[in-house]
Amino acid sequence: MKILVVEPMKPCQVREIPDTTEAMCQIVGGRIESFSYHREAVISNEEGKLLNLPQNRPLYDGGGTQIDMLRGTFFIAGVSGEHFVSLTDEQIQRYKDLYDNVMVLAAERPENQAGIAPEAAMPHFAVGCVLSFRIIREDQESPALHDAFTSHVTGIFNKDKALSERTVDDPYFTFRGRCAEVGYSFAAQDKDETSAEAFSEQCVRNVQDQLEGFGCKLEKIECFAEELEPDPVIDQARDNRSQEKKKKGVHHER
């Protein structure tokens, strides 16, 4: 069964699991409870609040209004009758778009920052990333092959929401025989350098199958994060936008 797993402070991840209660309980770390829409269900740990698991993502009703805060790792599955089933590609993309950009750090914020939007409480990082590929398809090495690889990778970066919104400038490509390196800068907002690097890597792992669909092997992902100095002008603008969103509310179409 193909599902979308959502861990606290991490991008959503597609997984395939056995269609058993034991496998589902293992993901959420305990007994499961579900909130069902028409064609999907959000499955979480039913004792998440009692166990004080870390806050993860908002839970929305069918109209897009937040009704609760999900705690701990949860996952999304398709629904057919009374059974959980695999998600379609369209469902996966819809929930990735919804949840990849609403990570919650509220459980770790100082009490005197309770009124600050979660993203505003985290520092900004510039993450230098280098992806190392080995081209294994049978085409003879040529400029045309390099161009095709460049177009393939660039297209995936442009199509994936997490990568397209955070990659700074266009990726650059270096070829050595049948090996290729893709370098780029990634903008992340996280609690520390290690988390920013892990987030940057996970965004690539989420599209690894698509990248390797060209006929290549992703052999290494290197990410190096550096915290940026705060910019008072940008920070004030972000705070203003956060306050405006609170006044207007946020509505997600389903």
Side-chain angles (χ1 to χ4, degrees):
M1 181 171 67
K2 184 183 292 186
I3 62 172
L4 191 67
V5 179
V6 188
E7 300 179 66
M9 291 305 300
K10 292 184 179 180
C12 305
Q13 184 178 24
V14 178
R15 293 187 197 171
E16 290 194 5
I17 65 168
D19 185 11
T20 64
T21 301
E22 290 78 8
M24 299 179 196
C25 291
Q26 186 174 9
I27 289 176
V28 304
R31 292 184 298 183
I32 62 173
E33 67 174 356
S34 66
F35 179 87
S36 295
Y37 301 104
H38 178 60
R39 297 175 53 235
E40 305 94 21
V42 175
I43 298 97
S44 61
N45 188 319
E46 71 171 8
E47 296 181 313
K49 291 183 179 179
L50 182 64
L51 297 173
N52 197 30
L53 296 179
Q55 294 188 36
N56 191 344
R57 290 343 192 248
L59 176 65
Y60 302 104
D61 66 13
T65 300
Q66 181 176 337
I67 58 175
D68 204 350
M69 181 62 70
L70 293 160
R71 290 179 172 266
T73 298
F74 66 93
F75 67 93
I76 301 159
V79 174
S80 178
E82 298 181 355
H83 302 282
F84 297 137
V85 297
S86 291
L87 292 169
T88 65
D89 291 343
E90 185 273 334
Q91 289 172 316
I92 290 171
Q93 190 59 53
R94 180 149 49 87
Y95 280 94
K96 277 176 63 65
D97 290 344
L98 176 65
Y99 280 131
D100 269 348
N101 292 304
V102 288
M103 298 182 189
V104 176
L105 193 63
E108 300 182 18
R109 283 183 285 154
E111 195 169 71
N112 62 0
Q113 292 184 321
I116 302 176
E119 64 271 19
M122 294 185 286
H124 291 263
F125 294 90
V127 187
C129 303
V130 178
L131 314 181
S132 299
F133 291 88
R134 180 167 51 88
I135 300 175
I136 57 178
R137 59 192 289 172
E138 296 181 356
D139 303 42
Q140 185 176 359
E141 184 190 348
S142 66
L145 177 63
H146 296 170
D147 289 344
F149 176 82
T150 299
S151 178
H152 173 77
V153 173
T154 302
I156 291 172
F157 269 63
N158 290 338
K159 185 171 65 173
D160 184 81
K161 188 177 180 68
L163 288 169
S164 64
E165 291 187 349
R166 295 179 175 86
T167 299
V168 181
D169 298 325
D170 294 330
Y172 60 88
F173 295 78
T174 305
F175 295 94
R176 299 182 182 87
R178 301 190 72 82
C179 296
E181 286 189 351
V182 182
Y184 60 95
S185 294
F186 189 89
Q189 201 171 353
D190 223 315
K191 59 183 179 180
D192 54 37
E193 291 182 357
T194 300
S195 298
E197 291 168 354
F199 175 70
S200 305
E201 177 176 347
Q202 187 59 53
C203 286
V204 178
R205 294 295 183 191
N206 287 342
V207 296
Q208 181 172 347
D209 288 346
Q210 298 176 51
L211 291 169
E212 293 182 338
F214 179 82
C216 58
K217 179 70 175 176
L218 178 58
E219 297 190 319
K220 186 189 297 185
I221 302 175
E222 299 176 284
C223 300
F224 307 94
E226 180 180 357
E227 184 174 349
L228 300 175
E229 291 293 329
D231 188 321
V233 175
I234 294 177
D235 290 345
Q236 183 60 53
R238 185 176 64 247
D239 292 343
N240 291 341
R241 288 196 301 270
S242 297
Q243 292 301 321
E244 189 65 25
K245 285 182 180 179
K246 288 181 181 178
K247 292 177 183 177
K248 294 181 178 179
V250 179
H251 180 77
H252 295 273
E253 295 292 340
R254 289 194 176 277

